[in-house]
Amino acid sequence: MTYIVDITVRLKDGMRDPEASTIKRSLEQIGFETQRLTLAKQFRVTIDAESEDAAREQGREMCERLLANPVIHDYTIRVVRE
Amino acid sequence: MKFAIIQFGGSNCDYDVEYVLTEIIGIDASIVWYKERLNGYDGVVIPGGFSYGDYLRAGAIAARTEIMQDVRRMARYGRPVLGICNGFQILTESGLLPGALMLNNYPKFICRWTHLRVENDATPFTGRFKKGDVIQMPIAHKEGNYYADNQTLQRLKERGMIVLRYTDEKGEVREDVNPNGSVENIAGILNEHGNVLGLMPHPERASEEILGSADGLNIFNSMIEYAEGIATDEIGED
């Protein structure tokens, strides 16, 4: 079965992100009141797997071993059938 | 005595390190392309640059190449491993050093001289210094903001794993001389065993007086003296 694994990697809560704060300030400069802005990186990986759970597990391993740095990142995974 | 300098696609301080080791100090050192193996070396330097264009995270891709297994093995067998700038990022990404190097506090590339205080002189890389010495080396990075959680920081402090801190010219640790937001002004750390050092400043760019400082030379010389002094058991396979 072919699955699309959508992986979102973002900095853990409370960690300083100067890029995000700069973008937030810029939004405010053009008139958008913003309470909070965070940045994330998204990966869309298409894989073959036996089940949705197996696809999710592969996504988790990808995060643990490469896509995220567990020291600074949290990640979320969403799996859909292609 | 023979040192390896690993070259990844995008390394750009490899030849500077080679020049310092072979021309200034006069030891045998070779640049090793990352697809080769590290056999018969007494120590290894992972130089600065932008391996893999800093794709994903600085150092992330290089950290997962096969040659890093050889680096891991050399580290396990007590050989000195020195990671400079991108080399430091590769060492944290590979788990050989704790913590992570994040985007600078003020998110731009910084290239300038810094003052640094030697926090531990009983390491393979600082034998030629005295604790408290204030030295000068330049930094050139955008992701040099060292981060570690509180538990890790505590361990770094208790075990003398913090080797260099950014200070003013008198050796005072102050927030306003912290160039990148590194926690506790950390510029360089050791692994637990003490034979792996990662640092953001560039000792190879401070190895001749004509460049403004030769303080960096003492890091290389300390490392070489250490390598000469250790028993050279064969490095086994995994």
Side-chain angles (χ1 to χ4, degrees):
Chain A
M1 219 83 80
T2 304
Y3 292 93
I4 294 171
V5 184
D6 267 331
I7 296 170
T8 307
V9 176
R10 66 177 72 241
L11 284 176
K12 285 180 179 169
D13 256 357
M15 293 200 65
R16 262 186 67 103
D17 183 347
E19 192 173 348
S21 7
T22 306
I23 296 167
K24 180 173 179 289
R25 267 201 309 280
S26 188
L27 271 182
E28 283 160 2
Q29 261 165 18
I30 58 168
F32 293 99
E33 274 296 313
T34 46
Q35 290 189 9
R36 190 160 174 248
L37 184 149
T38 59
L39 277 179
K41 208 170 244 187
Q42 186 157 27
F43 306 86
R44 173 162 291 179
V45 194
T46 306
I47 56 170
D48 277 330
E50 282 185 0
S51 63
E52 195 177 311
D53 280 351
R56 190 182 315 281
E57 178 54 23
Q58 272 200 54
R60 197 190 61 77
E61 274 182 44
M62 288 176 192
C63 288
E64 292 293 324
R65 295 181 53 194
L66 176 65
L67 300 181
N69 178 345
V71 177
I72 53 174
H73 290 138
D74 284 330
Y75 56 85
T76 52
I77 299 171
R78 203 175 61 97
V79 180
V80 290
R81 278 274 294 280
E82 193 182 52
Chain B
M1 189 57 34
K2 188 167 186 190
F3 273 75
I5 302 152
I6 301 181
Q7 182 182 55
F8 294 101
S11 298
N12 66 11
C13 303
D14 37 2
Y15 291 101
D16 300 39
V17 174
E18 184 192 36
Y19 167 75
V20 171
L21 293 181
T22 60
E23 300 289 320
I24 301 181
I25 299 176
I27 64 154
D28 193 0
S30 340
I31 291 180
V32 180
W33 180 237
Y34 79 99
K35 287 185 177 171
E36 293 164 26
R37 300 293 303 266
L38 290 177
N39 287 325
Y41 292 99
D42 300 291
V44 58
V45 180
I46 309 178
F50 298 87
S51 57
Y52 301 92
D54 280 350
Y55 291 172
L56 190 60
R57 297 177 301 276
I61 309 286
R64 287 153 180 90
T65 54
E66 231 172 289
I67 200 168
M68 288 306 293
Q69 294 300 332
D70 290 348
V71 174
R72 236 176 262 282
R73 201 172 300 120
M74 286 179 71
R76 209 162 49 238
Y77 279 83
R79 301 298 193 276
V81 176
L82 174 65
I84 302 165
C85 196
N86 189 223
F88 185 10
Q89 295 161 341
I90 294 168
L91 289 173
T92 55
E93 275 287 341
S94 67
L96 277 161
L97 289 174
L101 290 147
M102 303 179 57
L103 183 65
N104 293 344
N105 221 358
Y106 188 70
K108 66 165 199 168
F109 188 89
I110 313 170
C111 180
R112 66 168 173 83
W113 284 90
T114 57
H115 288 94
L116 302 144
R117 190 174 74 195
V118 177
E119 303 290 83
N120 183 352
D121 58 12
T123 85
F125 308 91
T126 53
R128 287 216 175 180
F129 298 108
K130 283 202 181 62
K131 188 176 172 182
D133 278 355
V134 180
I135 62 174
Q136 277 186 281
M137 291 191 282
I139 53 167
H141 61 247
K142 192 173 168 187
E143 281 95 5
N145 176 356
Y146 182 75
Y147 168 82
D149 60 31
N150 286 334
Q151 204 185 341
T152 307
L153 261 186
Q154 198 53 36
R155 187 163 53 96
L156 291 178
K157 284 194 235 176
E158 281 167 11
R159 306 194 182 179
M161 291 157 70
I162 301 172
V163 178
L164 292 169
R165 276 197 167 98
Y166 301 108
T167 64
D168 64 12
E169 67 284 358
K170 294 192 182 107
E172 293 295 321
V173 172
R174 299 199 328 242
E175 190 47 45
D176 62 326
V177 294
N178 185 341
N180 51 26
S182 287
V183 62
E184 304 222 3
N185 287 39
I186 289 173
I189 58 159
L190 275 184
N191 67 337
E192 203 120 344
H193 188 69
N195 63 321
V196 178
L197 174 71
L199 77 171
M200 288 315 293
H202 286 270
E204 79 282 9
R205 297 186 193 180
S207 286
E208 282 178 295
E209 287 300 344
I210 196 172
L211 298 175
S213 161
D215 291 334
L217 201 54
N218 280 330
I219 292 191
F220 294 113
N221 276 322
S222 300
M223 173 179 79
I224 292 160
E225 282 166 11
Y226 170 80
E228 281 167 345
I230 56 172
T232 50
D233 287 343
E234 284 276 307
I235 292 179
E237 288 297 317
D238 283 328

